[in-house]
Amino acid sequence: MKCHFLLLGALFCSSLTFAQKPKQPVHKDIPFVQDYSIKYYFKDAAEPLKAYTDLNGAIKVSTKSGLYQLYAGQFLYPGTLEKDVSYRPIADKKIANLGLYQHQFVMIDDKAVLSNAWAGKLFAKHSLSDAYLLTGGKDFGFLISNGSQLEYLPKEGTSWKESISNGKVLDLKYDASGDLFYALSENAVYSVSGKDKKLQKIYTANDLTCFELFSGKIVVGTKNGYLELDKTGKVVTPLQQKLPWTELTCISFIDNQLWFGSTSGAFMRKPDGKFNYYASERWIPSDKVVHISQGDENSVLILTDKGVGKIVFTKMTLQEKAELYDKQVRTRHIRNGFNGTLGHMKNGNLSTGRLQDSDNDGLWTSMYLGGEIFRYAATKDPKALQNCRESLDAMERLYTINGVPGFPSRSFERTGYKYEDKPWRRTSDPEWDWKSTTSSDEVIGHIFAFGAMAELIEDKDLKSRSIALIDTLMSHIIKNDMYLVDWDGKPTLWGKWHPDYVNSFPINVGDRKLNSSNIVAMLQTAYHFTKKEKYKTKAFELMKKHGYYENLMRPMKIIGQAPGNASDWSKMLSGDWNHSDDEMYYMGYWGLYRYAFNDTLKANYKKAIVDHWQYERPEKDGLWNILTAITGIQDFDLEESVWFLQEYPLDMIDWTVKNSHRKDIEMLPPNFIEQLTKEVLPPDEVGMIRHNNSRFLLDRNGRGSVELSAGDTWLLPYWAGRYLGVISGPTTVTKK
């Protein structure tokens, strides 16, 4: 090769020969359990009590104003709770509550415990006209309560009653193993023997709220955590408070898992002692949980004061999840060929949303396009190729619509829309407007996607067009002295790679390292595909003469806040870790490493990429991990990447989400990298964000106003993993 700048020595002139790399680990795509929610809302205010599913899969909800049933409802399209008028003969009965016995519905009114099952033969009369609690025991014997008294109703023989003095009775349970009932009041737990007509207080404490029988123990919820008793009332597990929320309202044992309801969401205890947290309208109509029970077909019913959240657990492979996301993107998120956002929604109602333009239309589309390029490279799916073609059409028009040679618009849209921001400009075509002030994050995204397309897509038309776009953009930048120059002849705010700008920052300000890394990657990509010497010459000039190589290789540990004598601009840019910069680094790493001028540079670039990745590891972001795998390292946190992909929510609506109140997370002191907690929460428990935000953000006020596209957030890391061979195709296809 021709050596540029001999003073650089062997670093920029030599080419190393590497031994064959050992194989990287591969995730076998077998079915995993994916959860999602179907929500049902009360039309009017109601005071719900219980929700149950019978052996036929029918679901009923009891309230203080009667029974309700679920109507309509599917994933992302909520249903309603309607008055249950299905059986007219009980319409005039004062049904106070609902229970389940032998997987059949039983009810209690002011006269009896009754059911429509068993040919309607169950009609056990009682003497507590205001009773509203019930549970069934052996051989159709029932224990009921009105809150202050208990009454046992045997199938045969005489009923008997006892009064409770220690606070209001809250719940009743039956233990078949000991043929004993248990009653919980606000201040005590009682055992009740229907056969022996014996009531015994076995535990006393204040602020009790709920209980459940579990593995030979009694799990008792309080206003501040839960504890476990043996059947005699002895405490075997002390008060547990490391929970998502400690003010408990109900406890249920479902499929060998303990579920807890609280005044701030529901959560399931996992085998490792941690919790899956189901809160916000991503999962349930309200965070005030009243009751939890087993639903139909591998689901759990979470009854709240506003309605029911039906949490469905189904098995699917990552590829099947990708197919669902692909449908989401293609049916709701394509605008003029761009990968867009569905915004302006009213409380998550998809029919009220409208596709909106973005300053980053080019970036989000580049990332989606990159994913589709990897998809086609891995599968040769003609649909992926068609998606590539449509997205490239949009990306290409960004350059042709504005009349500024080589300058990419931020976006374009039909004329007539009432734009509030100033960057919109008129075109020569009265039907269209374009958006100016393009940023460096769009540009690095463009080069990433065009480079990947030029390398991996064999279609001659798409390949040649992508190379032409690389050349057009980079020629503009070189011609304009390493600036991105807008319609007014001035550089845009962020499109600056000239040494006067880049090296004006102190060495610990991230933009100095970032801009150096990005422009070298862009110039390498341009040279790799065009073979025009001007790109290589400029890259080596920047690296040797202006220190860009030293800048891009600078360890991440040096990056921090600007010193006191730095400019205000430097201080503003370095107040904390910039996650948009992370996205820009990684969009550039493809070209930095993949199209390195020689093997020596490639080996050193690898060190810089892995050094950066070490700082990203706590976020468990699948995209950063999988793109780091391009360097060939063996440990790139594949397991955490799969965790990210599997835990990502199918519901991508930006709901209001809160986690800062949780007592099961360990907070960290404020720090530069914005890691708020010791461990990052799963993606389905935090707000909807793109890769340019911290995954440690605990709260988000989304209000259900936006649905993000899976194109850039999920499909890119998944298909990158498939192309790189670290995620296999599906080994088993699950039945629908």
Short mmCIF file of all heavy atoms in Angstrom, two decimals, residues 358-407:
data_model
loop_
_atom_site.label_atom_id
_atom_site.label_comp_id
_atom_site.label_asym_id
_atom_site.label_seq_id
_atom_site.Cartn_x
_atom_site.Cartn_y
_atom_site.Cartn_z
N SER A 358 -39.40 14.18 12.21
CA SER A 358 -38.41 14.26 13.28
C SER A 358 -37.15 14.91 12.75
O SER A 358 -36.81 14.78 11.57
CB SER A 358 -38.10 12.85 13.80
OG SER A 358 -36.92 12.84 14.58
N ASP A 359 -36.44 15.61 13.62
CA ASP A 359 -35.11 16.10 13.27
C ASP A 359 -34.20 14.94 12.87
O ASP A 359 -33.23 15.14 12.13
CB ASP A 359 -34.48 16.83 14.46
CG ASP A 359 -35.00 18.25 14.60
OD1 ASP A 359 -35.80 18.68 13.74
OD2 ASP A 359 -34.61 18.92 15.56
N ASN A 360 -34.50 13.76 13.38
CA ASN A 360 -33.64 12.60 13.17
C ASN A 360 -34.25 11.58 12.21
O ASN A 360 -33.93 10.39 12.29
CB ASN A 360 -33.32 11.93 14.50
CG ASN A 360 -32.55 12.82 15.44
OD1 ASN A 360 -33.06 13.29 16.43
ND2 ASN A 360 -31.29 13.07 15.11
N ASP A 361 -35.11 12.02 11.31
CA ASP A 361 -35.69 11.07 10.35
C ASP A 361 -34.60 10.29 9.62
O ASP A 361 -34.71 9.08 9.41
CB ASP A 361 -36.57 11.81 9.34
CG ASP A 361 -38.00 12.01 9.83
OD1 ASP A 361 -38.41 11.28 10.75
OD2 ASP A 361 -38.69 12.88 9.29
N GLY A 362 -33.53 11.00 9.24
CA GLY A 362 -32.45 10.32 8.53
C GLY A 362 -31.72 9.31 9.39
O GLY A 362 -31.32 8.25 8.91
N LEU A 363 -31.54 9.62 10.68
CA LEU A 363 -30.83 8.71 11.57
C LEU A 363 -31.68 7.48 11.88
O LEU A 363 -31.21 6.35 11.78
CB LEU A 363 -30.45 9.43 12.87
CG LEU A 363 -29.81 8.55 13.95
CD1 LEU A 363 -28.53 7.90 13.45
CD2 LEU A 363 -29.54 9.37 15.21
N TRP A 364 -32.94 7.70 12.30
CA TRP A 364 -33.79 6.54 12.64
C TRP A 364 -33.99 5.65 11.42
O TRP A 364 -34.06 4.42 11.54
CB TRP A 364 -35.14 6.99 13.19
CG TRP A 364 -35.10 7.99 14.30
CD1 TRP A 364 -35.95 9.04 14.50
CD2 TRP A 364 -34.17 8.04 15.40
NE1 TRP A 364 -35.61 9.74 15.63
CE2 TRP A 364 -34.52 9.15 16.21
CE3 TRP A 364 -33.07 7.28 15.79
CZ2 TRP A 364 -33.83 9.51 17.36
CZ3 TRP A 364 -32.37 7.63 16.93
CH2 TRP A 364 -32.75 8.72 17.71
N THR A 365 -34.08 6.26 10.25
CA THR A 365 -34.24 5.46 9.03
C THR A 365 -32.95 4.74 8.68
O THR A 365 -32.98 3.59 8.22
CB THR A 365 -34.71 6.35 7.87
OG1 THR A 365 -35.90 7.03 8.26
CG2 THR A 365 -34.99 5.53 6.62
N SER A 366 -31.81 5.39 8.92
CA SER A 366 -30.53 4.71 8.70
C SER A 366 -30.41 3.46 9.55
O SER A 366 -29.94 2.42 9.09
CB SER A 366 -29.37 5.66 9.03
OG SER A 366 -29.33 6.75 8.15
N MET A 367 -30.84 3.57 10.80
CA MET A 367 -30.73 2.43 11.71
C MET A 367 -31.69 1.32 11.32
O MET A 367 -31.35 0.13 11.37
CB MET A 367 -30.96 2.90 13.15
CG MET A 367 -29.89 3.90 13.62
SD MET A 367 -30.20 4.59 15.26
CE MET A 367 -29.74 3.18 16.30
N TYR A 368 -32.90 1.70 10.91
CA TYR A 368 -33.84 0.69 10.41
C TYR A 368 -33.31 0.06 9.13
O TYR A 368 -33.34 -1.17 8.96
CB TYR A 368 -35.21 1.33 10.17
CG TYR A 368 -36.17 0.44 9.42
CD1 TYR A 368 -36.57 -0.80 9.94
CD2 TYR A 368 -36.68 0.83 8.18
CE1 TYR A 368 -37.45 -1.61 9.23
CE2 TYR A 368 -37.56 0.03 7.47
CZ TYR A 368 -37.94 -1.19 8.01
OH TYR A 368 -38.81 -2.00 7.32
N LEU A 369 -32.81 0.90 8.24
CA LEU A 369 -32.26 0.40 6.99
C LEU A 369 -31.10 -0.55 7.25
O LEU A 369 -30.98 -1.61 6.62
CB LEU A 369 -31.81 1.57 6.12
CG LEU A 369 -31.11 1.25 4.79
CD1 LEU A 369 -31.96 0.34 3.93
CD2 LEU A 369 -30.78 2.55 4.05
N GLY A 370 -30.24 -0.19 8.21
CA GLY A 370 -29.14 -1.09 8.57
C GLY A 370 -29.65 -2.45 9.00
O GLY A 370 -29.10 -3.49 8.60
N GLY A 371 -30.71 -2.46 9.81
CA GLY A 371 -31.29 -3.73 10.24
C GLY A 371 -31.82 -4.55 9.08
O GLY A 371 -31.64 -5.78 9.03
N GLU A 372 -32.48 -3.89 8.13
CA GLU A 372 -33.02 -4.60 6.98
C GLU A 372 -31.91 -5.10 6.05
O GLU A 372 -32.04 -6.15 5.42
CB GLU A 372 -34.01 -3.71 6.23
CG GLU A 372 -35.29 -3.43 6.99
CD GLU A 372 -36.03 -4.70 7.37
OE1 GLU A 372 -36.60 -5.35 6.47
OE2 GLU A 372 -36.02 -5.06 8.57
N ILE A 373 -30.82 -4.35 5.98
CA ILE A 373 -29.66 -4.82 5.21
C ILE A 373 -29.10 -6.10 5.84
O ILE A 373 -28.83 -7.09 5.14
CB ILE A 373 -28.57 -3.73 5.15
CG1 ILE A 373 -29.06 -2.54 4.32
CG2 ILE A 373 -27.27 -4.29 4.60
CD1 ILE A 373 -28.21 -1.29 4.48
N PHE A 374 -28.94 -6.09 7.15
CA PHE A 374 -28.46 -7.29 7.84
C PHE A 374 -29.45 -8.44 7.69
O PHE A 374 -29.06 -9.60 7.54
CB PHE A 374 -28.24 -6.99 9.32
CG PHE A 374 -27.13 -6.01 9.60
CD1 PHE A 374 -27.24 -5.08 10.62
CD2 PHE A 374 -25.96 -6.03 8.85
CE1 PHE A 374 -26.23 -4.18 10.88
CE2 PHE A 374 -24.93 -5.13 9.11
CZ PHE A 374 -25.07 -4.20 10.12
N ARG A 375 -30.73 -8.11 7.72
CA ARG A 375 -31.76 -9.15 7.55
C ARG A 375 -31.63 -9.81 6.18
O ARG A 375 -31.66 -11.05 6.06
CB ARG A 375 -33.15 -8.53 7.71
CG ARG A 375 -34.32 -9.45 7.42
CD ARG A 375 -35.63 -8.68 7.50
NE ARG A 375 -36.77 -9.47 7.06
CZ ARG A 375 -37.99 -8.97 6.86
NH1 ARG A 375 -38.21 -7.67 7.07
NH2 ARG A 375 -38.97 -9.74 6.45
N TYR A 376 -31.47 -8.98 5.16
CA TYR A 376 -31.34 -9.55 3.82
C TYR A 376 -30.05 -10.34 3.68
O TYR A 376 -30.03 -11.43 3.09
CB TYR A 376 -31.39 -8.45 2.76
CG TYR A 376 -31.28 -9.01 1.37
CD1 TYR A 376 -32.36 -9.70 0.79
CD2 TYR A 376 -30.10 -8.89 0.65
CE1 TYR A 376 -32.25 -10.24 -0.48
CE2 TYR A 376 -29.98 -9.43 -0.63
CZ TYR A 376 -31.06 -10.11 -1.18
OH TYR A 376 -30.96 -10.67 -2.43
N ALA A 377 -28.98 -9.82 4.25
CA ALA A 377 -27.70 -10.51 4.17
C ALA A 377 -27.76 -11.87 4.86
O ALA A 377 -27.11 -12.83 4.43
CB ALA A 377 -26.59 -9.66 4.78
N ALA A 378 -28.56 -11.96 5.93
CA ALA A 378 -28.64 -13.21 6.70
C ALA A 378 -29.65 -14.19 6.11
O ALA A 378 -29.48 -15.40 6.25
CB ALA A 378 -29.02 -12.90 8.15
N THR A 379 -30.71 -13.69 5.46
CA THR A 379 -31.82 -14.56 5.07
C THR A 379 -32.14 -14.55 3.58
O THR A 379 -32.84 -15.43 3.10
CB THR A 379 -33.10 -14.16 5.83
OG1 THR A 379 -33.52 -12.85 5.39
CG2 THR A 379 -32.87 -14.15 7.33
N LYS A 380 -31.69 -13.51 2.86
CA LYS A 380 -32.05 -13.31 1.45
C LYS A 380 -33.56 -13.16 1.27
O LYS A 380 -34.11 -13.45 0.20
CB LYS A 380 -31.53 -14.44 0.56
CG LYS A 380 -30.03 -14.67 0.66
CD LYS A 380 -29.24 -13.40 0.36
CE LYS A 380 -27.75 -13.62 0.52
NZ LYS A 380 -26.96 -12.38 0.36
N ASP A 381 -34.23 -12.67 2.28
CA ASP A 381 -35.68 -12.47 2.22
C ASP A 381 -35.99 -11.33 1.25
O ASP A 381 -35.53 -10.20 1.46
CB ASP A 381 -36.19 -12.13 3.63
CG ASP A 381 -37.72 -12.06 3.70
OD1 ASP A 381 -38.37 -11.87 2.66
OD2 ASP A 381 -38.25 -12.18 4.81
N PRO A 382 -36.76 -11.57 0.21
CA PRO A 382 -37.06 -10.50 -0.76
C PRO A 382 -37.83 -9.34 -0.15
O PRO A 382 -37.74 -8.21 -0.63
CB PRO A 382 -37.88 -11.22 -1.84
CG PRO A 382 -38.40 -12.46 -1.19
CD PRO A 382 -37.36 -12.86 -0.19
N LYS A 383 -38.58 -9.59 0.92
CA LYS A 383 -39.29 -8.49 1.58
C LYS A 383 -38.30 -7.53 2.21
O LYS A 383 -38.51 -6.31 2.19
CB LYS A 383 -40.23 -9.05 2.65
CG LYS A 383 -41.42 -9.81 2.10
CD LYS A 383 -42.33 -10.28 3.23
CE LYS A 383 -43.53 -11.03 2.68
NZ LYS A 383 -44.42 -11.53 3.78
N ALA A 384 -37.23 -8.07 2.77
CA ALA A 384 -36.19 -7.21 3.35
C ALA A 384 -35.56 -6.35 2.26
O ALA A 384 -35.29 -5.16 2.47
CB ALA A 384 -35.14 -8.05 4.06
N LEU A 385 -35.32 -6.93 1.10
CA LEU A 385 -34.73 -6.17 0.00
C LEU A 385 -35.66 -5.06 -0.45
O LEU A 385 -35.21 -3.93 -0.73
CB LEU A 385 -34.41 -7.10 -1.17
CG LEU A 385 -33.62 -6.47 -2.32
CD1 LEU A 385 -32.25 -6.00 -1.85
CD2 LEU A 385 -33.48 -7.46 -3.47
N GLN A 386 -36.95 -5.33 -0.50
CA GLN A 386 -37.92 -4.30 -0.87
C GLN A 386 -37.94 -3.18 0.16
O GLN A 386 -38.00 -2.00 -0.19
CB GLN A 386 -39.31 -4.91 -1.03
CG GLN A 386 -40.41 -3.91 -1.31
CD GLN A 386 -40.21 -3.14 -2.60
OE1 GLN A 386 -39.51 -3.60 -3.51
NE2 GLN A 386 -40.81 -1.96 -2.70
N ASN A 387 -37.86 -3.55 1.44
CA ASN A 387 -37.81 -2.53 2.49
C ASN A 387 -36.56 -1.67 2.35
O ASN A 387 -36.60 -0.45 2.55
CB ASN A 387 -37.86 -3.18 3.87
CG ASN A 387 -39.16 -3.91 4.15
OD1 ASN A 387 -40.17 -3.66 3.48
ND2 ASN A 387 -39.15 -4.79 5.13
N CYS A 388 -35.45 -2.31 2.02
CA CYS A 388 -34.20 -1.56 1.79
C CYS A 388 -34.38 -0.56 0.65
O CYS A 388 -33.94 0.59 0.74
CB CYS A 388 -33.06 -2.52 1.44
SG CYS A 388 -32.47 -3.53 2.81
N ARG A 389 -35.01 -1.01 -0.40
CA ARG A 389 -35.19 -0.15 -1.57
C ARG A 389 -36.05 1.07 -1.22
O ARG A 389 -35.72 2.21 -1.60
CB ARG A 389 -35.84 -0.97 -2.69
CG ARG A 389 -35.95 -0.23 -4.01
CD ARG A 389 -36.39 -1.16 -5.13
NE ARG A 389 -35.32 -2.06 -5.55
CZ ARG A 389 -35.29 -3.37 -5.31
NH1 ARG A 389 -36.29 -3.95 -4.66
NH2 ARG A 389 -34.29 -4.11 -5.74
N GLU A 390 -37.13 0.85 -0.47
CA GLU A 390 -38.01 1.97 -0.11
C GLU A 390 -37.31 2.96 0.82
O GLU A 390 -37.46 4.17 0.68
CB GLU A 390 -39.28 1.43 0.55
CG GLU A 390 -40.19 0.68 -0.40
CD GLU A 390 -41.49 0.23 0.26
OE1 GLU A 390 -41.84 0.78 1.32
OE2 GLU A 390 -42.14 -0.68 -0.27
N SER A 391 -36.55 2.44 1.78
CA SER A 391 -35.84 3.33 2.70
C SER A 391 -34.74 4.10 1.98
O SER A 391 -34.51 5.28 2.26
CB SER A 391 -35.26 2.53 3.87
OG SER A 391 -36.29 2.06 4.72
N LEU A 392 -34.04 3.43 1.06
CA LEU A 392 -32.99 4.13 0.32
C LEU A 392 -33.59 5.23 -0.55
O LEU A 392 -32.99 6.30 -0.70
CB LEU A 392 -32.19 3.16 -0.54
CG LEU A 392 -30.99 3.80 -1.25
CD1 LEU A 392 -29.97 4.29 -0.22
CD2 LEU A 392 -30.34 2.82 -2.21
N ASP A 393 -34.77 4.99 -1.09
CA ASP A 393 -35.45 6.05 -1.85
C ASP A 393 -35.63 7.30 -1.00
O ASP A 393 -35.37 8.43 -1.45
CB ASP A 393 -36.82 5.57 -2.34
CG ASP A 393 -36.73 4.57 -3.49
OD1 ASP A 393 -35.66 4.47 -4.11
OD2 ASP A 393 -37.75 3.89 -3.75
N ALA A 394 -36.08 7.11 0.24
CA ALA A 394 -36.29 8.24 1.15
C ALA A 394 -34.96 8.91 1.49
O ALA A 394 -34.84 10.14 1.48
CB ALA A 394 -36.99 7.78 2.42
N MET A 395 -33.95 8.09 1.80
CA MET A 395 -32.64 8.64 2.16
C MET A 395 -32.03 9.42 0.99
O MET A 395 -31.46 10.50 1.16
CB MET A 395 -31.71 7.51 2.57
CG MET A 395 -32.16 6.73 3.81
SD MET A 395 -32.07 7.69 5.31
CE MET A 395 -30.31 7.87 5.48
N GLU A 396 -32.17 8.88 -0.20
CA GLU A 396 -31.62 9.53 -1.39
C GLU A 396 -32.29 10.87 -1.64
O GLU A 396 -31.64 11.86 -2.00
CB GLU A 396 -31.81 8.60 -2.59
CG GLU A 396 -31.05 8.98 -3.83
CD GLU A 396 -31.18 7.89 -4.88
OE1 GLU A 396 -32.33 7.47 -5.18
OE2 GLU A 396 -30.14 7.44 -5.40
N ARG A 397 -33.59 10.92 -1.41
CA ARG A 397 -34.32 12.17 -1.67
C ARG A 397 -33.94 13.27 -0.68
O ARG A 397 -34.11 14.46 -0.97
CB ARG A 397 -35.83 11.92 -1.61
CG ARG A 397 -36.62 13.05 -2.26
CD ARG A 397 -38.10 12.81 -2.29
NE ARG A 397 -38.76 13.89 -3.01
CZ ARG A 397 -40.04 14.22 -2.87
NH1 ARG A 397 -40.80 13.52 -2.03
NH2 ARG A 397 -40.56 15.23 -3.54
N LEU A 398 -33.40 12.89 0.48
CA LEU A 398 -32.90 13.90 1.41
C LEU A 398 -31.83 14.77 0.76
O LEU A 398 -31.66 15.94 1.12
CB LEU A 398 -32.32 13.22 2.67
CG LEU A 398 -33.31 12.56 3.63
CD1 LEU A 398 -32.56 11.79 4.70
CD2 LEU A 398 -34.23 13.60 4.26
N TYR A 399 -31.10 14.20 -0.20
CA TYR A 399 -30.01 14.91 -0.87
C TYR A 399 -30.48 15.69 -2.10
O TYR A 399 -29.85 16.69 -2.47
CB TYR A 399 -28.92 13.93 -1.29
CG TYR A 399 -28.19 13.31 -0.12
CD1 TYR A 399 -28.73 12.26 0.60
CD2 TYR A 399 -26.94 13.80 0.28
CE1 TYR A 399 -28.06 11.70 1.68
CE2 TYR A 399 -26.26 13.24 1.35
CZ TYR A 399 -26.84 12.20 2.05
OH TYR A 399 -26.17 11.65 3.13
N THR A 400 -31.54 15.24 -2.72
CA THR A 400 -31.94 15.84 -3.99
C THR A 400 -33.02 16.90 -3.84
O THR A 400 -33.25 17.67 -4.77
CB THR A 400 -32.44 14.75 -4.94
OG1 THR A 400 -33.57 14.08 -4.35
CG2 THR A 400 -31.35 13.73 -5.23
N ILE A 401 -33.68 16.94 -2.70
CA ILE A 401 -34.85 17.80 -2.57
C ILE A 401 -34.50 19.24 -2.23
O ILE A 401 -35.31 20.15 -2.40
CB ILE A 401 -35.82 17.23 -1.51
CG1 ILE A 401 -37.21 17.83 -1.69
CG2 ILE A 401 -35.29 17.43 -0.09
CD1 ILE A 401 -38.29 17.14 -0.86
N ASN A 402 -33.25 19.48 -1.75
CA ASN A 402 -32.96 20.80 -1.19
C ASN A 402 -32.16 21.73 -2.10
O ASN A 402 -32.02 22.91 -1.80
CB ASN A 402 -32.23 20.65 0.15
CG ASN A 402 -30.96 19.85 0.03
OD1 ASN A 402 -30.15 20.06 -0.87
ND2 ASN A 402 -30.76 18.90 0.94
N GLY A 403 -31.58 21.24 -3.16
CA GLY A 403 -30.83 22.11 -4.06
C GLY A 403 -29.45 22.50 -3.58
O GLY A 403 -28.76 23.30 -4.22
N VAL A 404 -29.00 21.94 -2.46
CA VAL A 404 -27.65 22.22 -1.95
C VAL A 404 -26.80 20.99 -2.26
O VAL A 404 -27.01 19.93 -1.67
CB VAL A 404 -27.67 22.50 -0.43
CG1 VAL A 404 -26.26 22.85 0.05
CG2 VAL A 404 -28.65 23.62 -0.11
N PRO A 405 -25.83 21.09 -3.15
CA PRO A 405 -25.06 19.90 -3.57
C PRO A 405 -24.43 19.16 -2.40
O PRO A 405 -23.70 19.74 -1.58
CB PRO A 405 -23.99 20.50 -4.49
CG PRO A 405 -24.58 21.76 -5.00
CD PRO A 405 -25.40 22.31 -3.86
N GLY A 406 -24.76 17.86 -2.29
CA GLY A 406 -24.15 16.99 -1.28
C GLY A 406 -24.66 17.18 0.13
O GLY A 406 -24.18 16.51 1.05
N PHE A 407 -25.64 18.06 0.31
CA PHE A 407 -26.13 18.35 1.66
C PHE A 407 -27.38 17.51 1.94
O PHE A 407 -28.37 17.62 1.21
CB PHE A 407 -26.46 19.83 1.81
CG PHE A 407 -26.93 20.22 3.19
CD1 PHE A 407 -26.00 20.48 4.19
CD2 PHE A 407 -28.28 20.30 3.49
CE1 PHE A 407 -26.43 20.83 5.47
CE2 PHE A 407 -28.71 20.65 4.76
CZ PHE A 407 -27.77 20.91 5.75
#
